[in-house]
Amino acid sequence: QVQLQESGPGLVKPSETLSLTCTVSGGSISNSDYHWGWVRQPPGKGLEWIGTFYYSGTTYYNPSLRSRITMSVDTSKNQFSLQLSSVTAADTAVYYCVRDKRSSCESWGQGTLVTVSS
Amino acid sequence: QSALTQPASVSGSPGQSITISCTGTSSDVGAYDYVSWYQQHPGKAPKLMIYDVSNRPSGVSNRFSGSKSGNTASLTISGLQTEDEADYYCSSHATSGAAHVVFGEGTKLTVL
């Protein structure tokens, strides 16, 4: 059974770049049957899709975040990453990495809280 | 990219059935059979309950069922149990504004 684990700083200063990594175990990130992505949830609020990438190289980003997002993959480590630039307090959220199949997030990491504050 | 519309809350008694609606547009729910439903208990990660409108992942109780008509999808939970009390979110594949996935606003289910 695939497992996903997010890692990264829990505190980021305003205007800086948020960087998170998702480590995948129990399955290969190179499996073309699946896609990989990120979802976030501000405290007390609902889920927001951030972006999804296909192993083929195609990426899809939330239009409201597109100008600030970079997603990348490291197949040698079975990891993928998210960078969100120019963060503000509105980017404070629990960030989840997910395995996606046909736009369904079938596996989720446990989530990591990132707080944007000086 | 607008969130899919869900009722803020629904409630039911143990043993009863409830239905949660998820209304989108012809660019998301109405266009694709890629609607999913997630259950989220407080402090936990969401769990996939329904995918592709009406399919259940292995291990999910058959008390959970999904359907779709036009731009509206629905999640029905029959034989309500206290452990079903949670937040529920729908999602859909989408192409509006070059988006890919859109989530619903979320529904708080209270089992009275």
Side-chain angles (χ1 to χ4, degrees), chain A residues 5-38:
Chain A
Q5 178 67 58
E6 305 88 352
S7 60
L11 181 64
V12 181
K13 290 182 169 56
S15 80
E16 294 190 345
T17 296
L18 177 160
S19 296
L20 295 173
T21 296
C22 182
T23 301
V24 179
S25 58
S28 173
I29 201 168
S30 304
N31 187 334
S32 59
D33 289 340
Y34 301 101
H35 318 302
W36 308 90
W38 295 90

Side-chain angles (χ1 to χ4, degrees), chain A residues 67-79:
Chain A
S67 63
R68 299 193 289 131
I69 298 175
T70 301
M71 294 176 63
S72 59
V73 60
D74 186 338
T75 55
S76 66
K77 296 181 179 179
N78 222 35
Q79 295 176 334

Side-chain angles (χ1 to χ4, degrees), chain B residues 36-108:
Chain B
S36 301
W37 289 92
Y38 305 89
Q39 176 191 67
Q40 186 180 35
H41 288 109
K44 300 294 186 181
K47 174 187 177 183
L48 179 66
M49 305 302 284
I50 296 287
Y51 67 95
D52 293 354
V53 175
S54 60
N55 293 296
R56 282 186 307 276
S58 174
V60 172
S61 170
N62 60 9
R63 297 186 298 105
F64 292 82
S65 62
S67 63
K68 190 186 85 167
S69 178
N71 295 338
T72 298
S74 299
L75 172 71
T76 297
I77 309 174
S78 59
L80 271 178
Q81 300 180 0
T82 55
E83 58 261 37
D84 298 333
E85 183 163 298
D87 293 325
Y88 290 84
Y89 294 90
C90 62
S91 75
S92 174
H93 183 74
T95 54
S96 175
H100 187 64
V101 175
V102 60
F103 281 98
E105 300 158 326
T107 298
K108 170 64 177 177

